Amino acid sequence: MVLLLIFTIWKPRLFLQRGQPRYASGRWKPFWNGEITEAEREAQESRNRTFLSRATWGATLYAGLLDGINPCAFATAIFLISYLLYLKKGRGFVLAVGICFCLGVFLAYLLMGVGLSFVMDFLNQFAFVKIALYALFALVGICLAVLHLRDALRYKKSGKASDMEMGLNVQTHRKIHDKIHAWGRISSALAFPAAIVLGVVVSSMEFVCTGQIYLPTLMTINAQGFNLVAFQWLLIYNLAFIFPLLVVTVMAYFGVGAQALSQWARTHVFATKIAMAVLFLLLAALMLAMMRHLV
């Protein structure tokens, strides 16, 4: 640092921008004090937009996939598959019901995302509200990252899911299981459309947990307003979200039992929680970057 300071004082011409005057009010003018042209400013803003666009693309895909293996959603899919196997339904029936359930989840989350996007788009018209929302989601993201990291450490120590706090409570789990049991009493002719309705109902009950990832992702997606590009990102998120559920369904079709799926989920709870903590830190960083772009 000292050498750099001395070098700056005695060899200022090396720090001058090409085409800039050597003197400014009788003093040497280092490059960091040089005037920024309009072309340079536009080029920097273009680079910032490109970076935010790529970061949004990556964060959207990562968030959707991770939300899909979120213990809140993943445990429900495993319970549904295990219940179907308990009813001794054929593999084709299990596959069709699983796909219908995933379709219901997809439609529910897509519609919720569109509705929330319109609300965010309206609020984003007010610059101070948009900045405040970015700051709020950044703070919430940091807090959630800490809480999920704490859950990961608790689970690693005890191996008990009950020691984790960031998830659905016991009452909600019971209500979801009751809905699945009620679906099982429906006649076979109505099983498939009822499975779509079941996906809609269950996903709305899980939103208190999965919405932790969905809401800040929506804020990132709608940074430039709710337009066609934002809707495409919304589709990508929701397709990524149901992808793990579809994988579970296909694995059940090929004979992988619910017990094996449950064991896999328990084995990867710690890694999932760590990945979620990283995701929330990434979303918080994106919120701060977008807020800085506005200020």
Side-chain angles (χ1 to χ4, degrees), residues 113 167 194 219 266 280 285:
M219 192 67 190
R266 285 193 295 269
F280 282 119

Side-chain angles (χ1 to χ4, degrees), residues 41-250:
R41 182 179 291 105
E42 291 179 357
Q44 182 61 43
E45 289 180 353
S46 177
R47 286 193 293 268
N48 290 342
R49 287 192 296 269
T50 301
F51 167 76
L52 290 176
S53 177
R54 291 176 179 175
T56 301
W57 167 268
T60 300
L61 185 60
Y62 177 34
L65 287 172
L66 191 55
D67 208 6
I69 60 172
N70 186 337
C72 303
F74 204 70
T76 299
I78 293 176
F79 180 80
L80 175 63
I81 295 300
S82 64
Y83 184 65
L84 289 172
L85 296 175
Y86 168 78
L87 294 176
K88 300 186 184 302
K89 298 293 185 180
R91 291 191 301 172
F93 183 86
V94 172
L95 179 64
V97 168
I99 291 175
C100 289
F101 178 80
C102 291
L103 178 60
V105 173
F106 175 80
L107 292 175
Y109 270 83
L110 181 63
L111 292 176
M112 284 190 284
V114 170
L116 290 170
S117 294
F118 277 118
V119 174
M120 291 179 179
D121 195 32
F122 172 75
L123 294 176
N124 287 343
Q125 296 177 9
F126 309 98
F128 69 95
V129 175
K130 192 172 185 178
I131 293 173
L133 286 175
Y134 282 148
L136 175 63
F137 277 112
L139 179 60
V140 170
I142 294 172
C143 292
L144 289 175
V146 173
L147 292 174
H148 280 283
L149 179 60
R150 184 184 65 177
D151 274 358
L153 297 176
R154 285 181 174 180
Y155 184 82
K156 186 175 180 63
K157 182 178 180 180
S158 67
K160 297 179 180 179
S162 58
D163 289 339
M164 299 187 297
E165 296 181 356
M166 302 304 294
L168 295 176
N169 55 40
V170 177
Q171 291 77 13
T172 304
H173 273 298
R174 288 175 180 171
K175 290 179 180 178
I176 291 174
H177 292 179
D178 290 341
K179 297 295 183 184
I180 293 175
H181 287 146
W183 170 87
R185 293 190 291 269
I186 296 175
S187 63
S188 299
L190 299 176
F192 302 124
I196 297 176
V197 176
L198 179 66
V200 173
V201 173
V202 169
S203 59
S204 64
M205 297 173 69
E206 291 176 341
F207 191 75
V208 67
C209 179
T210 56
Q212 296 172 7
I213 296 177
Y214 201 21
L215 288 175
T217 305
L218 285 174
M219 192 67 190
T220 306
I221 288 173
N222 294 292
Q224 304 299 325
F226 187 55
N227 48 31
L228 181 59
V229 174
F231 183 71
Q232 291 173 347
W233 278 337
L234 188 60
L235 286 175
I236 290 171
Y237 178 94
N238 285 283
L239 288 172
F241 177 71
I242 66 169
F243 180 74
L245 308 181
L246 287 171
V247 170
V248 169
T249 302
V250 173

